[in-house]
Amino acid sequence: MSLDRAASTPPLLVPSGSVINPVVLERRMLLPVLDTNALLTHACWLVQNGYQYDKVTALAGTGRATPYIAAHVPGEIEVHLPRLAADYQVAVRDVRRLLGAQILPALRVVDLEIRDHLSPQTRRILHVDPKLPKKYQGDPDDAPTMALAEFLGPCVIVTEDSVFSRFGFAVIEWIPVVQSVMRMAGLEATAANALVVLDWALWLFGAGVHRLAVLARGNPLAATVMVGGLLWWCYTNGWLARDHWRRSLSRLGDVVKPMLELAEAGMTEHQTLSDSLVVVEPPAYPATEQVAARYLARCGRPLTPGGLREALARRGHMVSAVQLRRNMTAHAAFLRVPGDLWMVGRPVQG
């Protein structure tokens, strides 16, 4: 699918703003990894078509699909921007302004170490097959994107580069891929927010019941009189009758049924979208810094080594805060901010 054919595609309805707590939903979160071609063609298309339907910032807006790019991408953008702008017949300054003010701030750049590029999947990208045309051959600039997808995996590579589709790591028609990731993230954000609200409601209800129990233990006579009076009032008004309870449960079922049907439809749609995506899976035995980076990339906020240790322990990864701090200090992917807080990736420079 070309960008021109996608011009009539309506914007997808996803929750506005970030999800309350991205990791409250126990479901693996797919992150999009973008390459230079996809970013530039999207920016040029936006300028050409009146700045509508910015899918990159919409991805970030779901709260469960922050887009990431490899460290070489900003430099590649400057190199290839004049050629792409000429192809789309748009002004370079307009594309550069859109990138700097809107698209690039929605991304995070991840600097990798040399060892992160040595995994089997990344090495396959660089394999040269003399029987294939040049456009299907990998080059050194493709390796960091693949390595980043493995480092933060599971990830979806958003690209127009044929080498990724050749090895089965991406789908070349990237616009449907972005739309599917956006819709999946939107469904997940809605479900996560519903869980948070339900947890708040249960906590408030439990706190209220606990408070009433404390008051009843301290004033047993008054509590007995109040409960007895309440039961008598309910009886005289017919609230304890069997027919009343039957009607109430029937009305409750009428209210709950559409909600259950909506939830089932959402789960079915999510599974269908998930099955349609080509996902780069992480290694079976990840290193400590990989485990830390994957959680930090998804939790939506920086964490201290102690907070990260507790979060990872809840997911079965036992590692000390001292070890986490040591590994994050030694790896370029992590950024330390005031308060001994750590995050993965950095803002785009300039």
Side-chain angles (χ1 to χ4, degrees), residues 260-285:
L260 294 177
E261 291 176 347
L262 184 62
E264 183 180 2
M267 288 188 290
T268 301
E269 182 185 2
H270 184 278
Q271 187 61 49
T272 301
L273 293 170
S274 178
D275 293 341
S276 70
L277 293 171
V278 178
V279 178
V280 177
E281 299 289 352
Y285 302 99

Side-chain angles (χ1 to χ4, degrees), residues 177-196:
V177 171
V178 173
Q179 292 174 332
S180 295
V181 175
M182 284 170 57
R183 184 58 182 163
M184 280 183 60
L187 292 169
E188 292 170 359
T190 301
N193 288 342
L195 285 178
V196 171

Side-chain angles (χ1 to χ4, degrees), residues 32 51 63 67 102 144 164-165 170 179 216 225-226 236 274-275 299 319 324 347:
Y51 302 91
Q102 182 171 316
F164 293 104
S165 60
Q179 292 174 332
V225 172
M226 291 181 63
T236 56
S274 178
D275 293 341
C299 71
V319 57
L324 285 170

Side-chain angles (χ1 to χ4, degrees), residues 14-235:
V14 296
S16 59
S18 298
V19 63
I20 299 173
N21 183 356
V23 296
V24 71
L25 192 64
E26 289 296 333
R27 184 187 297 275
R28 69 176 197 166
M29 192 187 306
L30 297 182
L31 297 179
V33 174
L34 282 63
D35 76 346
T36 306
N37 285 336
L39 282 172
L40 278 178
T41 53
H42 181 55
C44 292
W45 180 83
L46 283 174
V47 173
Q48 189 182 64
N49 292 273
Y51 302 91
Q52 296 182 357
Y53 310 149
D54 181 359
K55 297 176 177 61
V56 173
T57 54
L59 278 171
T62 63
R64 283 182 65 90
T66 301
Y68 284 85
I69 58 175
H72 74 286
V73 171
E76 270 199 335
I77 287 176
E78 287 299 318
V79 172
H80 298 291
L81 174 56
R83 177 178 60 83
L84 265 294
D87 290 344
Y88 279 85
Q89 298 181 345
V90 294
V92 172
R93 65 178 181 278
D94 293 337
V95 179
R96 183 176 285 114
R97 185 184 304 115
L98 174 65
L99 285 166
Q102 182 171 316
I103 295 179
L104 294 180
L107 310 174
R108 293 198 67 81
V109 183
V110 181
D111 299 284
L112 297 178
E113 302 289 343
I114 293 178
R115 62 181 179 272
D116 299 318
H117 298 78
L118 302 179
S119 64
Q121 294 187 88
T122 301
R123 289 203 301 269
R124 285 180 64 193
I125 291 292
L126 297 177
H127 175 71
V128 176
D129 188 343
K131 298 178 182 180
L132 292 176
K134 184 178 179 180
K135 70 174 184 177
Y136 291 105
Q137 304 286 0
D139 61 59
D141 289 334
D142 297 322
T145 296
M146 186 66 213
L148 177 58
E150 289 189 86
F151 187 74
L152 297 180
C155 290
V156 176
I157 297 179
V158 180
T159 179
E160 286 194 327
D161 198 328
S162 301
V163 67
F164 293 104
S165 60
R166 169 192 162 199
F167 288 110
F169 294 132
V171 178
I172 198 63
E173 294 186 351
W174 67 272
I175 293 176
V177 171
V178 173
Q179 292 174 332
S180 295
V181 175
M182 284 170 57
R183 184 58 182 163
M184 280 183 60
L187 292 169
E188 292 170 359
T190 301
N193 288 342
L195 285 178
V196 171
V197 172
L198 179 62
D199 181 67
W200 287 346
L202 292 176
W203 182 85
L204 291 173
F205 177 77
V209 170
H210 175 73
R211 181 60 179 168
L212 288 175
V214 171
L215 291 174
R217 286 198 299 268
N219 303 275
L221 180 60
T224 302
V225 172
M226 291 181 63
V227 171
L230 179 62
L231 290 174
W232 174 254
W233 183 81
C234 291
Y235 175 77

